[in-house]
Amino acid sequence: MKLLEKLTQTDSPSGSERKVREIIGNEIKKYCDEITVDALGNLIAHKSGNGRKIMFAAHIDEIGVIASFIDENGFIRFGSVGGLEIKALVNRRVMFENGTMGVIGSEEEGFSKKAEISKLYIDIGAKNKKEAEKKVSVGDTAVFVGGFYKSGDIVVSKALDNRAGCYALIEAMKEIKDAKNDLYFVFTVQEEVGLRGAGAASFGIEPDFAVAVDVTDTGDTPDAPNMAVSLGKGAAVKVMDRSVMCDSDVRLHMVETAKTNKIPYQLEIMTDGGTDAGAIHKTKSGIKTGGISIPTRYIHSPSEMASVSDIKVCIKLISALAQSEWK
């Protein structure tokens, strides 16, 4: 879990993914034939083989905020980087790239009922605008503070969305000894702000088949929607989300591969949110695309929760799919 902890605790919001990209590049360089970084910032690892061209994608960015204005009293107004639950932001801590810590405050009481980002500010403890500008500039991004914690089979951290998916791809690459297929492992940028990196990468690679690896919601908490996904019950094979209807041939192949290799799986229908699959399947004249998801509670919070056993199962499924025969 040391690598997963390192990945989650490396701050890399959308558009500023360099730090986590460097960690991943150093970790995988011994397990592929070529590594490139495209113009958008996607890290593309190629493991050459003679079979079908298969692309696995996991995004490396995380949600955050961006400084948009500093007032005369040194308080920082901000915009969102990715999908934020605005009403849950008050009193949360954020960290800017230079290490400056801030606390999100609200102009008025009863904010949770109104939930307008324009009523929020970041307090870095500055006395005035001049002092604040020594630490933060307009355009600087910050991420939420959320430490890494493991207890038994449960891991809690910020940015498990989607460093858990990145970790799964990395570990699967290490397991693949004989690349029967022509494999591309893509660590994509800017997923949280519109699935941008995946679209560019898949356009360049033009794979025969693609699998997006990400996290998904669960239906196993008291306030959860009706959803047939739970922590500890295996990899979630995506059927659909709001961005994609997964290719039925790819989904069936994933299910059969899981059954053949005795890998626990569950079927996922996510009615809210999307993944890189949404951009990949529409690239060029279309790409047969599926998804593997890691069940995760409290997504887009500093305390996302996942099962270590589910992550390990996802690694096995990715490895098995990479070495399987695709028709």
Side-chain angles (χ1 to χ4, degrees), residues 21-36 43-47 169-170 173-174 185 187:
R21 181 172 60 231
E22 289 177 353
I23 291 172
I24 293 171
N26 289 330
E27 188 71 25
I28 66 175
K29 59 186 177 182
K30 296 188 296 184
Y31 304 100
C32 58
D33 300 308
E34 180 185 26
I35 293 178
T36 57
L43 178 66
I44 302 171
H46 184 204
K47 200 175 183 73
L169 281 196
I170 292 168
M173 288 180 68
K174 295 176 182 179
F185 294 88
F187 299 87

PDB file of all heavy atoms in Angstrom, residues 21-36 43-47 169-170 173-174 185 187:
ATOM      1  N   ARG A  21       2.320  12.223 -12.533  1.00  0.00           N
ATOM      2  CA  ARG A  21       2.771  11.612 -13.787  1.00  0.00           C
ATOM      3  C   ARG A  21       4.226  11.152 -13.674  1.00  0.00           C
ATOM      4  O   ARG A  21       4.592  10.077 -14.163  1.00  0.00           O
ATOM      5  CB  ARG A  21       2.616  12.599 -14.944  1.00  0.00           C
ATOM      6  CG  ARG A  21       3.036  12.032 -16.295  1.00  0.00           C
ATOM      7  CD  ARG A  21       2.694  12.965 -17.438  1.00  0.00           C
ATOM      8  NE  ARG A  21       3.352  14.253 -17.293  1.00  0.00           N
ATOM      9  CZ  ARG A  21       2.739  15.418 -17.362  1.00  0.00           C
ATOM     10  NH1 ARG A  21       1.440  15.494 -17.575  1.00  0.00           N
ATOM     11  NH2 ARG A  21       3.411  16.545 -17.214  1.00  0.00           N
ATOM     12  N   GLU A  22       5.064  11.946 -13.031  1.00  0.00           N
ATOM     13  CA  GLU A  22       6.471  11.579 -12.862  1.00  0.00           C
ATOM     14  C   GLU A  22       6.623  10.345 -11.980  1.00  0.00           C
ATOM     15  O   GLU A  22       7.448   9.459 -12.262  1.00  0.00           O
ATOM     16  CB  GLU A  22       7.245  12.754 -12.269  1.00  0.00           C
ATOM     17  CG  GLU A  22       7.429  13.917 -13.247  1.00  0.00           C
ATOM     18  CD  GLU A  22       8.132  15.107 -12.614  1.00  0.00           C
ATOM     19  OE1 GLU A  22       8.367  15.081 -11.386  1.00  0.00           O
ATOM     20  OE2 GLU A  22       8.442  16.067 -13.346  1.00  0.00           O
ATOM     21  N   ILE A  23       5.824  10.267 -10.925  1.00  0.00           N
ATOM     22  CA  ILE A  23       5.873   9.090 -10.045  1.00  0.00           C
ATOM     23  C   ILE A  23       5.497   7.833 -10.826  1.00  0.00           C
ATOM     24  O   ILE A  23       6.170   6.801 -10.746  1.00  0.00           O
ATOM     25  CB  ILE A  23       4.933   9.278  -8.841  1.00  0.00           C
ATOM     26  CG1 ILE A  23       5.477  10.370  -7.922  1.00  0.00           C
ATOM     27  CG2 ILE A  23       4.758   7.963  -8.074  1.00  0.00           C
ATOM     28  CD1 ILE A  23       4.524  10.761  -6.810  1.00  0.00           C
ATOM     29  N   ILE A  24       4.420   7.914 -11.599  1.00  0.00           N
ATOM     30  CA  ILE A  24       3.966   6.753 -12.365  1.00  0.00           C
ATOM     31  C   ILE A  24       5.002   6.362 -13.415  1.00  0.00           C
ATOM     32  O   ILE A  24       5.312   5.180 -13.589  1.00  0.00           O
ATOM     33  CB  ILE A  24       2.600   7.044 -13.019  1.00  0.00           C
ATOM     34  CG1 ILE A  24       1.526   7.190 -11.935  1.00  0.00           C
ATOM     35  CG2 ILE A  24       2.207   5.927 -13.996  1.00  0.00           C
ATOM     36  CD1 ILE A  24       0.194   7.699 -12.448  1.00  0.00           C
ATOM     37  N   GLY A  25       5.551   7.348 -14.110  1.00  0.00           N
ATOM     38  CA  GLY A  25       6.554   7.058 -15.127  1.00  0.00           C
ATOM     39  C   GLY A  25       7.752   6.325 -14.557  1.00  0.00           C
ATOM     40  O   GLY A  25       8.240   5.342 -15.155  1.00  0.00           O
ATOM     41  N   ASN A  26       8.237   6.742 -13.412  1.00  0.00           N
ATOM     42  CA  ASN A  26       9.376   6.070 -12.777  1.00  0.00           C
ATOM     43  C   ASN A  26       9.019   4.667 -12.314  1.00  0.00           C
ATOM     44  O   ASN A  26       9.863   3.766 -12.315  1.00  0.00           O
ATOM     45  CB  ASN A  26       9.878   6.900 -11.591  1.00  0.00           C
ATOM     46  CG  ASN A  26      10.581   8.175 -12.026  1.00  0.00           C
ATOM     47  OD1 ASN A  26      11.181   8.227 -13.097  1.00  0.00           O
ATOM     48  ND2 ASN A  26      10.507   9.207 -11.204  1.00  0.00           N
ATOM     49  N   GLU A  27       7.766   4.475 -11.930  1.00  0.00           N
ATOM     50  CA  GLU A  27       7.334   3.168 -11.413  1.00  0.00           C
ATOM     51  C   GLU A  27       7.181   2.134 -12.521  1.00  0.00           C
ATOM     52  O   GLU A  27       7.422   0.933 -12.305  1.00  0.00           O
ATOM     53  CB  GLU A  27       6.014   3.340 -10.663  1.00  0.00           C
ATOM     54  CG  GLU A  27       5.558   2.115  -9.908  1.00  0.00           C
ATOM     55  CD  GLU A  27       6.388   1.804  -8.677  1.00  0.00           C
ATOM     56  OE1 GLU A  27       7.010   2.738  -8.113  1.00  0.00           O
ATOM     57  OE2 GLU A  27       6.417   0.628  -8.267  1.00  0.00           O
ATOM     58  N   ILE A  28       6.784   2.545 -13.714  1.00  0.00           N
ATOM     59  CA  ILE A  28       6.437   1.578 -14.776  1.00  0.00           C
ATOM     60  C   ILE A  28       7.499   1.421 -15.856  1.00  0.00           C
ATOM     61  O   ILE A  28       7.354   0.568 -16.728  1.00  0.00           O
ATOM     62  CB  ILE A  28       5.106   1.969 -15.459  1.00  0.00           C
ATOM     63  CG1 ILE A  28       5.248   3.296 -16.220  1.00  0.00           C
ATOM     64  CG2 ILE A  28       3.972   2.019 -14.446  1.00  0.00           C
ATOM     65  CD1 ILE A  28       4.027   3.684 -17.025  1.00  0.00           C
ATOM     66  N   LYS A  29       8.556   2.199 -15.819  1.00  0.00           N
ATOM     67  CA  LYS A  29       9.501   2.204 -16.944  1.00  0.00           C
ATOM     68  C   LYS A  29      10.154   0.848 -17.199  1.00  0.00           C
ATOM     69  O   LYS A  29      10.557   0.562 -18.331  1.00  0.00           O
ATOM     70  CB  LYS A  29      10.565   3.276 -16.734  1.00  0.00           C
ATOM     71  CG  LYS A  29      11.397   3.139 -15.474  1.00  0.00           C
ATOM     72  CD  LYS A  29      12.309   4.353 -15.306  1.00  0.00           C
ATOM     73  CE  LYS A  29      13.111   4.285 -14.023  1.00  0.00           C
ATOM     74  NZ  LYS A  29      13.957   5.502 -13.850  1.00  0.00           N
ATOM     75  N   LYS A  30      10.238   0.001 -16.193  1.00  0.00           N
ATOM     76  CA  LYS A  30      10.832  -1.328 -16.381  1.00  0.00           C
ATOM     77  C   LYS A  30       9.845  -2.340 -16.933  1.00  0.00           C
ATOM     78  O   LYS A  30      10.229  -3.459 -17.293  1.00  0.00           O
ATOM     79  CB  LYS A  30      11.381  -1.847 -15.047  1.00  0.00           C
ATOM     80  CG  LYS A  30      12.520  -1.033 -14.468  1.00  0.00           C
ATOM     81  CD  LYS A  30      13.132  -1.708 -13.265  1.00  0.00           C
ATOM     82  CE  LYS A  30      12.151  -1.819 -12.114  1.00  0.00           C
ATOM     83  NZ  LYS A  30      12.761  -2.404 -10.887  1.00  0.00           N
ATOM     84  N   TYR A  31       8.575  -1.968 -17.022  1.00  0.00           N
ATOM     85  CA  TYR A  31       7.541  -2.941 -17.371  1.00  0.00           C
ATOM     86  C   TYR A  31       6.870  -2.664 -18.713  1.00  0.00           C
ATOM     87  O   TYR A  31       5.815  -3.215 -19.005  1.00  0.00           O
ATOM     88  CB  TYR A  31       6.490  -2.983 -16.257  1.00  0.00           C
ATOM     89  CG  TYR A  31       7.091  -3.277 -14.904  1.00  0.00           C
ATOM     90  CD1 TYR A  31       7.329  -2.239 -13.995  1.00  0.00           C
ATOM     91  CD2 TYR A  31       7.461  -4.569 -14.550  1.00  0.00           C
ATOM     92  CE1 TYR A  31       7.904  -2.492 -12.758  1.00  0.00           C
ATOM     93  CE2 TYR A  31       8.035  -4.832 -13.313  1.00  0.00           C
ATOM     94  CZ  TYR A  31       8.252  -3.798 -12.424  1.00  0.00           C
ATOM     95  OH  TYR A  31       8.826  -4.050 -11.201  1.00  0.00           O
ATOM     96  N   CYS A  32       7.462  -1.815 -19.519  1.00  0.00           N
ATOM     97  CA  CYS A  32       6.915  -1.535 -20.846  1.00  0.00           C
ATOM     98  C   CYS A  32       8.061  -1.284 -21.819  1.00  0.00           C
ATOM     99  O   CYS A  32       9.219  -1.130 -21.419  1.00  0.00           O
ATOM    100  CB  CYS A  32       5.951  -0.356 -20.798  1.00  0.00           C
ATOM    101  SG  CYS A  32       6.688   1.162 -20.170  1.00  0.00           S
ATOM    102  N   ASP A  33       7.731  -1.242 -23.089  1.00  0.00           N
ATOM    103  CA  ASP A  33       8.754  -1.046 -24.123  1.00  0.00           C
ATOM    104  C   ASP A  33       8.991   0.420 -24.441  1.00  0.00           C
ATOM    105  O   ASP A  33      10.079   0.793 -24.889  1.00  0.00           O
ATOM    106  CB  ASP A  33       8.329  -1.783 -25.403  1.00  0.00           C
ATOM    107  CG  ASP A  33       8.173  -3.281 -25.180  1.00  0.00           C
ATOM    108  OD1 ASP A  33       9.115  -3.891 -24.654  1.00  0.00           O
ATOM    109  OD2 ASP A  33       7.100  -3.824 -25.503  1.00  0.00           O
ATOM    110  N   GLU A  34       7.993   1.257 -24.231  1.00  0.00           N
ATOM    111  CA  GLU A  34       8.125   2.669 -24.583  1.00  0.00           C
ATOM    112  C   GLU A  34       7.178   3.501 -23.743  1.00  0.00           C
ATOM    113  O   GLU A  34       6.048   3.089 -23.469  1.00  0.00           O
ATOM    114  CB  GLU A  34       7.804   2.870 -26.068  1.00  0.00           C
ATOM    115  CG  GLU A  34       7.919   4.306 -26.545  1.00  0.00           C
ATOM    116  CD  GLU A  34       7.476   4.478 -27.988  1.00  0.00           C
ATOM    117  OE1 GLU A  34       6.646   3.669 -28.463  1.00  0.00           O
ATOM    118  OE2 GLU A  34       7.942   5.430 -28.627  1.00  0.00           O
ATOM    119  N   ILE A  35       7.640   4.662 -23.315  1.00  0.00           N
ATOM    120  CA  ILE A  35       6.797   5.619 -22.601  1.00  0.00           C
ATOM    121  C   ILE A  35       6.854   6.955 -23.332  1.00  0.00           C
ATOM    122  O   ILE A  35       7.934   7.451 -23.655  1.00  0.00           O
ATOM    123  CB  ILE A  35       7.256   5.818 -21.147  1.00  0.00           C
ATOM    124  CG1 ILE A  35       7.056   4.541 -20.326  1.00  0.00           C
ATOM    125  CG2 ILE A  35       6.492   6.967 -20.489  1.00  0.00           C
ATOM    126  CD1 ILE A  35       7.527   4.655 -18.892  1.00  0.00           C
ATOM    127  N   THR A  36       5.690   7.523 -23.594  1.00  0.00           N
ATOM    128  CA  THR A  36       5.622   8.846 -24.203  1.00  0.00           C
ATOM    129  C   THR A  36       4.634   9.709 -23.421  1.00  0.00           C
ATOM    130  O   THR A  36       3.756   9.197 -22.715  1.00  0.00           O
ATOM    131  CB  THR A  36       5.163   8.777 -25.682  1.00  0.00           C
ATOM    132  OG1 THR A  36       3.882   8.122 -25.749  1.00  0.00           O
ATOM    133  CG2 THR A  36       6.169   8.009 -26.522  1.00  0.00           C
ATOM    134  N   LEU A  43       0.190  10.251 -20.085  1.00  0.00           N
ATOM    135  CA  LEU A  43       1.333   9.339 -20.048  1.00  0.00           C
ATOM    136  C   LEU A  43       0.911   8.042 -20.717  1.00  0.00           C
ATOM    137  O   LEU A  43      -0.041   7.390 -20.277  1.00  0.00           O
ATOM    138  CB  LEU A  43       1.747   9.076 -18.599  1.00  0.00           C
ATOM    139  CG  LEU A  43       2.908   8.109 -18.385  1.00  0.00           C
ATOM    140  CD1 LEU A  43       4.197   8.677 -18.936  1.00  0.00           C
ATOM    141  CD2 LEU A  43       3.060   7.778 -16.904  1.00  0.00           C
ATOM    142  N   ILE A  44       1.601   7.661 -21.791  1.00  0.00           N
ATOM    143  CA  ILE A  44       1.218   6.499 -22.586  1.00  0.00           C
ATOM    144  C   ILE A  44       2.343   5.472 -22.539  1.00  0.00           C
ATOM    145  O   ILE A  44       3.463   5.737 -22.984  1.00  0.00           O
ATOM    146  CB  ILE A  44       0.925   6.894 -24.047  1.00  0.00           C
ATOM    147  CG1 ILE A  44      -0.188   7.935 -24.091  1.00  0.00           C
ATOM    148  CG2 ILE A  44       0.543   5.665 -24.871  1.00  0.00           C
ATOM    149  CD1 ILE A  44      -0.411   8.553 -25.464  1.00  0.00           C
ATOM    150  N   ALA A  45       2.050   4.316 -21.974  1.00  0.00           N
ATOM    151  CA  ALA A  45       3.021   3.226 -21.884  1.00  0.00           C
ATOM    152  C   ALA A  45       2.630   2.117 -22.856  1.00  0.00           C
ATOM    153  O   ALA A  45       1.502   1.617 -22.812  1.00  0.00           O
ATOM    154  CB  ALA A  45       3.078   2.683 -20.456  1.00  0.00           C
ATOM    155  N   HIS A  46       3.558   1.732 -23.717  1.00  0.00           N
ATOM    156  CA  HIS A  46       3.291   0.723 -24.739  1.00  0.00           C
ATOM    157  C   HIS A  46       4.038  -0.565 -24.410  1.00  0.00           C
ATOM    158  O   HIS A  46       5.239  -0.557 -24.197  1.00  0.00           O
ATOM    159  CB  HIS A  46       3.740   1.247 -26.112  1.00  0.00           C
ATOM    160  CG  HIS A  46       3.427   0.328 -27.243  1.00  0.00           C
ATOM    161  ND1 HIS A  46       4.118   0.328 -28.441  1.00  0.00           N
ATOM    162  CD2 HIS A  46       2.495  -0.665 -27.373  1.00  0.00           C
ATOM    163  CE1 HIS A  46       3.624  -0.578 -29.253  1.00  0.00           C
ATOM    164  NE2 HIS A  46       2.643  -1.199 -28.607  1.00  0.00           N
ATOM    165  N   LYS A  47       3.281  -1.641 -24.362  1.00  0.00           N
ATOM    166  CA  LYS A  47       3.857  -2.974 -24.152  1.00  0.00           C
ATOM    167  C   LYS A  47       3.514  -3.765 -25.416  1.00  0.00           C
ATOM    168  O   LYS A  47       2.386  -4.235 -25.580  1.00  0.00           O
ATOM    169  CB  LYS A  47       3.253  -3.615 -22.905  1.00  0.00           C
ATOM    170  CG  LYS A  47       4.053  -4.752 -22.293  1.00  0.00           C
ATOM    171  CD  LYS A  47       3.377  -5.188 -21.004  1.00  0.00           C
ATOM    172  CE  LYS A  47       4.155  -6.272 -20.283  1.00  0.00           C
ATOM    173  NZ  LYS A  47       5.374  -5.762 -19.639  1.00  0.00           N
ATOM    174  N   LEU A 169      -3.655  -0.258 -12.608  1.00  0.00           N
ATOM    175  CA  LEU A 169      -2.979  -0.404 -13.904  1.00  0.00           C
ATOM    176  C   LEU A 169      -1.494  -0.681 -13.723  1.00  0.00           C
ATOM    177  O   LEU A 169      -0.915  -1.529 -14.409  1.00  0.00           O
ATOM    178  CB  LEU A 169      -3.155   0.865 -14.742  1.00  0.00           C
ATOM    179  CG  LEU A 169      -4.462   1.090 -15.481  1.00  0.00           C
ATOM    180  CD1 LEU A 169      -4.284   2.182 -16.532  1.00  0.00           C
ATOM    181  CD2 LEU A 169      -4.964  -0.176 -16.155  1.00  0.00           C
ATOM    182  N   ILE A 170      -0.865   0.039 -12.809  1.00  0.00           N
ATOM    183  CA  ILE A 170       0.568  -0.148 -12.560  1.00  0.00           C
ATOM    184  C   ILE A 170       0.858  -1.584 -12.130  1.00  0.00           C
ATOM    185  O   ILE A 170       1.762  -2.250 -12.659  1.00  0.00           O
ATOM    186  CB  ILE A 170       1.061   0.835 -11.489  1.00  0.00           C
ATOM    187  CG1 ILE A 170       1.007   2.269 -12.015  1.00  0.00           C
ATOM    188  CG2 ILE A 170       2.482   0.483 -11.043  1.00  0.00           C
ATOM    189  CD1 ILE A 170       1.195   3.327 -10.933  1.00  0.00           C
ATOM    190  N   MET A 173       0.418  -4.118 -14.917  1.00  0.00           N
ATOM    191  CA  MET A 173       1.564  -4.100 -15.835  1.00  0.00           C
ATOM    192  C   MET A 173       2.701  -4.963 -15.320  1.00  0.00           C
ATOM    193  O   MET A 173       3.379  -5.660 -16.085  1.00  0.00           O
ATOM    194  CB  MET A 173       2.064  -2.664 -16.030  1.00  0.00           C
ATOM    195  CG  MET A 173       1.160  -1.780 -16.869  1.00  0.00           C
ATOM    196  SD  MET A 173       1.798  -0.099 -17.051  1.00  0.00           S
ATOM    197  CE  MET A 173       3.240  -0.410 -18.073  1.00  0.00           C
ATOM    198  N   LYS A 174       2.912  -4.935 -14.023  1.00  0.00           N
ATOM    199  CA  LYS A 174       3.982  -5.732 -13.420  1.00  0.00           C
ATOM    200  C   LYS A 174       3.705  -7.231 -13.516  1.00  0.00           C
ATOM    201  O   LYS A 174       4.636  -8.038 -13.569  1.00  0.00           O
ATOM    202  CB  LYS A 174       4.157  -5.334 -11.952  1.00  0.00           C
ATOM    203  CG  LYS A 174       4.648  -3.902 -11.749  1.00  0.00           C
ATOM    204  CD  LYS A 174       4.704  -3.552 -10.272  1.00  0.00           C
ATOM    205  CE  LYS A 174       5.142  -2.112 -10.051  1.00  0.00           C
ATOM    206  NZ  LYS A 174       5.176  -1.755  -8.607  1.00  0.00           N
ATOM    207  N   PHE A 185      -1.161   1.275 -22.008  1.00  0.00           N
ATOM    208  CA  PHE A 185      -1.645   1.685 -20.690  1.00  0.00           C
ATOM    209  C   PHE A 185      -1.539   3.202 -20.627  1.00  0.00           C
ATOM    210  O   PHE A 185      -0.440   3.765 -20.684  1.00  0.00           O
ATOM    211  CB  PHE A 185      -0.811   1.043 -19.590  1.00  0.00           C
ATOM    212  CG  PHE A 185      -0.952  -0.453 -19.540  1.00  0.00           C
ATOM    213  CD1 PHE A 185      -0.124  -1.265 -20.312  1.00  0.00           C
ATOM    214  CD2 PHE A 185      -1.912  -1.054 -18.735  1.00  0.00           C
ATOM    215  CE1 PHE A 185      -0.256  -2.647 -20.282  1.00  0.00           C
ATOM    216  CE2 PHE A 185      -2.048  -2.430 -18.696  1.00  0.00           C
ATOM    217  CZ  PHE A 185      -1.222  -3.229 -19.473  1.00  0.00           C
ATOM    218  N   PHE A 187      -2.365   6.813 -18.811  1.00  0.00           N
ATOM    219  CA  PHE A 187      -2.687   7.523 -17.580  1.00  0.00           C
ATOM    220  C   PHE A 187      -3.097   8.934 -17.994  1.00  0.00           C
ATOM    221  O   PHE A 187      -2.260   9.769 -18.343  1.00  0.00           O
ATOM    222  CB  PHE A 187      -1.479   7.507 -16.645  1.00  0.00           C
ATOM    223  CG  PHE A 187      -1.071   6.104 -16.251  1.00  0.00           C
ATOM    224  CD1 PHE A 187      -0.188   5.369 -17.044  1.00  0.00           C
ATOM    225  CD2 PHE A 187      -1.601   5.503 -15.119  1.00  0.00           C
ATOM    226  CE1 PHE A 187       0.174   4.066 -16.701  1.00  0.00           C
ATOM    227  CE2 PHE A 187      -1.246   4.197 -14.764  1.00  0.00           C
ATOM    228  CZ  PHE A 187      -0.358   3.480 -15.564  1.00  0.00           C
TER     229      PHE A 187
END
